[in-house]
Amino acid sequence: RMVSKLLDRAREQGCYKVILDCKEHNIGFYSSCGFKVKDAQMSCYFGEVVCKSTAWDTAAARAQPDISLGDSLVMTSLRADHFHQGFTGLLEQLTIVGELSEEMYRARLTQLQNSVDALMFVIEDTNLQRIVGVGTLLIEHKFIHSAGRCGHIEDIVVDTSQRGRGLGKKMVTHLNEVARRTGCYKAILNCTKQNVSFYEKCGFVETGVSMALYLT
């Protein structure tokens, strides 16, 4: 009943899918609720948690200076002008984007910039004025771990023309550091089995199974 009520709530909020992470021995239960096994769950635990009194908030994280990655590449927060720098096309290398007008983009960007628990970063080629990498960090506020925080890493993608240069690892490393600096005790993400080894190189370990139920 609890799962059904949560699914109803997700539908009311306009979610297109619900995902959860579980151990293998719980797959049968969640399968009976309509979920299907999708990916591997990966976790990275931080050895030292930043004190809440000195942790960044999301505004402080966004305000950090751009990070130079060399060869005209910089790590920076998502901006309005990135819409015209190949942002949508890059996301389409990851998944189905669907309709996304500039008006829709700006409205969602405003939501993101006003959020206290969501951050999105891009890797920008300043010479080409082109987005070649993207990643998202969502911060979950928990009661466990002394009312701790957990970082969720989402939507990691690097342009096909730039793969093999370590940009994906740099994005994940950056998101991990932001998660740590905002007071998270760990970061988690879901990935396909063929990507497990990549995330292991980024400091993650496989800790469970990701399951999904599509609502639309």
Side-chain angles (χ1 to χ4, degrees):
R1 289 186 178 182
M2 176 63 74
V3 174
S4 295
K5 288 185 177 181
L6 292 174
L7 290 175
D8 288 341
R9 183 60 174 164
R11 290 187 182 93
E12 291 170 3
Q13 294 296 311
C15 297
Y16 70 92
K17 74 173 179 179
V18 175
I19 59 175
L20 60 83
D21 301 319
C22 69
K23 300 298 183 183
E24 288 196 5
H25 63 265
N26 288 325
I27 290 176
F29 168 73
Y30 288 111
S31 294
S32 70
C33 298
F35 287 82
K36 294 184 178 181
V37 174
K38 189 173 186 293
D39 292 316
Q41 183 203 33
M42 309 288 291
S43 302
C44 178
Y45 288 85
F46 305 129
E48 182 180 349
V49 179
V50 174
C51 177
K52 292 178 182 177
S53 62
T54 58
W56 288 346
D57 58 18
T58 48
R62 291 188 195 96
Q64 297 304 305
D66 293 349
I67 300 172
S68 174
L69 303 179
D71 295 328
S72 76
L73 300 176
V74 295
M75 185 91 67
T76 185
S77 294
L78 184 66
R79 301 191 309 266
D81 61 307
H82 289 148
F83 180 79
H84 295 288
Q85 296 185 25
F87 176 76
T88 302
L90 181 59
L91 286 182
E92 286 175 339
Q93 295 182 32
L94 176 68
T95 188
I96 298 171
V97 175
E99 180 187 359
L100 184 66
S101 66
E102 185 171 0
E103 180 181 5
M104 294 166 65
Y105 172 85
R106 287 178 177 272
R108 182 48 51 90
L109 178 61
T110 298
Q111 284 184 321
L112 187 66
Q113 291 172 335
N114 291 333
S115 173
V116 297
D117 51 21
L119 294 157
M120 196 165 193
F121 296 94
V122 299
I123 298 174
E124 178 183 356
D125 186 320
T126 56
N127 282 348
L128 298 177
Q129 293 189 317
R130 194 84 179 163
I131 302 305
V132 298
V134 66
T136 301
L137 174 67
L138 306 176
I139 300 172
E140 178 187 4
H141 302 268
K142 290 181 169 288
F143 286 100
I144 61 174
H145 287 269
S146 303
R149 300 168 184 166
C150 172
H152 294 251
I153 292 177
E154 297 271 349
D155 299 338
I156 300 292
V157 61
V158 172
D159 188 80
T160 53
S161 67
Q162 300 293 321
R163 292 176 189 173
R165 301 180 59 187
L167 298 184
K169 185 174 182 180
K170 289 178 180 179
M171 174 61 76
V172 174
T173 300
H174 179 66
L175 294 176
N176 262 351
E177 178 60 13
V178 173
R180 189 189 70 81
R181 292 293 298 269
T182 52
C184 296
Y185 67 90
K186 72 173 180 177
I188 62 175
L189 57 84
N190 300 324
C191 70
T192 59
K193 283 290 186 179
Q194 54 261 42
N195 286 329
V196 166
S197 61
F198 166 73
Y199 287 108
E200 287 176 337
K201 294 174 184 176
C202 298
F204 286 78
V205 294
E206 190 171 354
T207 51
V209 176
S210 171
M211 302 188 71
L213 190 158
Y214 287 83
L215 304 176
T216 57

